[in-house]
Amino acid sequence: MKNKSLVSINDYTKEDYLKILDIASEFENNSNQNLLNGKIIASLFFEPSTRTRLSFETAIDRLEGRIIGFSDANSTSVSKGESLKDTIKTIANYCDLIVIRHPLEGSARYASEISKVPIINAGDGANQHPTQTLLDLYSIQKTQGTLENLNIFLVGDLKYGRTVHSLLMAMSKFNTTFNFISPQELKIPNEYKLFLDNIGLKYYEHLDFTDIISRADIIYMTRVQRERFSEPMEYEKVKNVYVLRSNMIENTKDNMKILHPLPRINEINEDVDDNQKAYYFTQALNGVYTRQAIITSILGLK
Ligand code: CP
């Protein structure tokens, strides 16, 4: 992992995932250290973010590193027409590592090809969100005691949800059974089903989930990604198809946990928040420890 960019979750092996989770667990026990003293990390957010940007910044602050960057590209020379290439080549001169979120699929890979410092993809369009996946793995392992042989229900926007795509690829290494619940318009893309077919993993597709969630170990809810729709009417048709309510999880397994990368809109009713099966806010906290593990591994400090 040292000096290697993290652009896709496929850039890491199963052993790499487990190593990151072990290091994250160490950081959960001791999050404030001076490991990043003297390091400068650039945080380049060309797209809005709350959790990813601020958990990266918290992770760095707690390790005494310094942060440069922006959360609004309009305040930079991008607004004057500067290219992504020139932006990355310039900023790579100022820092040890670049964290980038960008709306274009493939932008993080492109950045990694032109940057002299490693790149961490903090989300590129509908493509990948590998640091979210690692914190999801951490959350699953922590709540289930294992990553192996679990029954995972992925619910909502499985077409545009980049967190779903990365999580599927990662969990496929742990003999997962997948249940995909989405409206017809937002089904998991065929390439992912072909991938699961090729490696012989079981998956099931459903339009409704009320009768089947009693089998789930993890219910992974997702938001319908309004910003990826070109037609507002198409978004309106599907935006409230699935709403998880407290009474719906009464007969679920004791170990079952509800995850959501957040932000949520309506897909989890607030009456679920106080249920001990709701894990999404702790999941967001786990992002700090996991990102500390990723940064220090790439910088060769762990
Ligand atoms: N989970 C996630 O990526 O959230 P943000 O968009 O707030 O960073």
Side-chain angles (χ1 to χ4, degrees):
M1 288 174 273
K2 188 177 171 191
N3 290 328
K4 243 180 88 178
S5 292
L6 174 57
V7 172
S8 160
I9 198 65
N10 298 325
D11 293 339
Y12 281 5
T13 63
K14 178 175 177 177
E15 290 67 37
D16 292 335
Y17 302 159
L18 296 174
K19 177 140 192 268
I20 291 287
L21 303 197
D22 280 350
I23 299 170
S25 176
E26 286 173 30
F27 281 121
E28 181 167 2
N29 290 327
N30 182 13
S31 190
N32 297 310
Q33 302 183 37
N34 65 356
L35 283 170
L36 293 182
N37 201 342
K39 300 289 184 198
I40 298 178
I41 294 165
S43 164
L44 314 183
F45 277 73
F46 294 82
E47 240 193 4
S49 167
T50 298
R51 277 144 295 272
T52 309
R53 183 171 70 81
L54 295 177
S55 66
F56 262 115
E57 294 190 4
T58 305
I60 296 161
D61 273 345
R62 288 193 185 283
L63 297 178
E64 298 188 14
R66 279 182 287 169
I67 302 156
I68 59 169
F70 52 82
S71 56
D72 176 7
N74 289 325
S75 67
T76 72
S77 289
V78 170
S79 66
K80 301 174 199 161
E82 185 167 44
S83 67
L84 180 62
K85 178 180 178 185
D86 290 1
T87 303
I88 295 294
K89 281 187 98 62
T90 304
I91 294 171
N93 284 327
Y94 304 151
C95 64
D96 301 289
L97 177 67
I98 293 176
V99 177
I100 180 171
R101 170 172 288 188
H102 197 284
L104 283 183
E105 293 184 26
S107 51
R109 180 67 69 201
Y110 175 65
S112 74
E113 284 163 5
I114 55 178
S115 171
K116 67 180 182 186
V117 299
I119 297 283
I120 297 179
N121 181 6
D124 62 326
N127 185 32
Q128 282 264 332
H129 195 350
T131 67
Q132 176 71 43
T133 301
L134 287 161
L135 80 87
D136 292 342
L137 295 186
Y138 185 74
S139 300
I140 294 169
Q141 188 187 53
K142 206 170 150 196
T143 59
Q144 305 300 313
T146 179
L147 290 168
E148 300 287 348
N149 306 317
L150 297 173
N151 201 348
I152 297 203
F153 282 52
L154 297 157
V155 184
D157 185 348
L158 309 187
K159 179 178 179 186
Y160 296 115
R162 59 192 171 200
T163 63
V164 166
H165 303 158
S166 301
L167 184 61
L168 179 150
M169 300 305 286
M171 284 305 295
S172 69
K173 296 182 165 57
F174 298 94
N175 197 34
T176 303
T177 301
F178 294 97
N179 282 271
F180 301 125
I181 298 114
S182 67
Q184 204 63 35
E185 299 87 336
L186 298 175
K187 282 175 76 168
I188 191 89
N190 277 337
E191 66 193 88
Y192 293 102
K193 290 192 278 182
L194 277 174
F195 168 75
L196 294 177
D197 285 336
N198 282 338
I199 59 171
L201 277 190
K202 283 193 233 135
Y203 64 86
Y204 305 93
E205 291 186 277
H206 315 269
L207 292 174
D208 191 8
F209 71 150
T210 41
D211 293 336
I212 51 173
I213 54 175
S214 60
R215 286 186 255 138
D217 296 306
I218 294 289
I219 299 178
Y220 193 93
M221 298 295 296
T222 63
R223 168 181 74 94
V224 176
Q225 309 261 311
R226 186 184 58 200
E227 64 275 29
R228 316 269 178 233
F229 283 76
S230 48
E231 282 297 323
M233 279 309 292
E234 293 300 308
Y235 170 71
E236 290 299 319
K237 271 200 299 200
V238 290
K239 69 177 185 185
N240 288 327
V241 173
Y242 305 114
V243 181
L244 188 66
R245 298 178 196 281
S246 189
N247 62 346
M248 294 163 66
I249 55 175
E250 276 166 11
N251 295 321
T252 51
K253 289 165 80 168
D254 289 344
N255 64 300
M256 191 278 282
K257 288 285 181 265
I258 302 157
L259 271 58
H260 190 313
L262 303 176
R264 79 169 143 190
I265 309 303
N266 297 319
E267 58 279 359
I268 302 180
N269 193 284
E270 286 188 14
D271 72 0
V272 178
D273 293 358
D274 294 328
N275 192 301
Q276 55 91 19
K277 293 179 178 175
Y279 194 74
Y280 27 94
F281 292 114
T282 309
Q283 178 187 1
L285 169 63
N286 291 339
V288 173
Y289 315 127
T290 312
R291 289 178 171 122
Q292 287 183 318
I294 295 165
I295 291 169
T296 53
S297 297
I298 291 177
L299 292 178
L301 302 168
K302 277 282 179 184

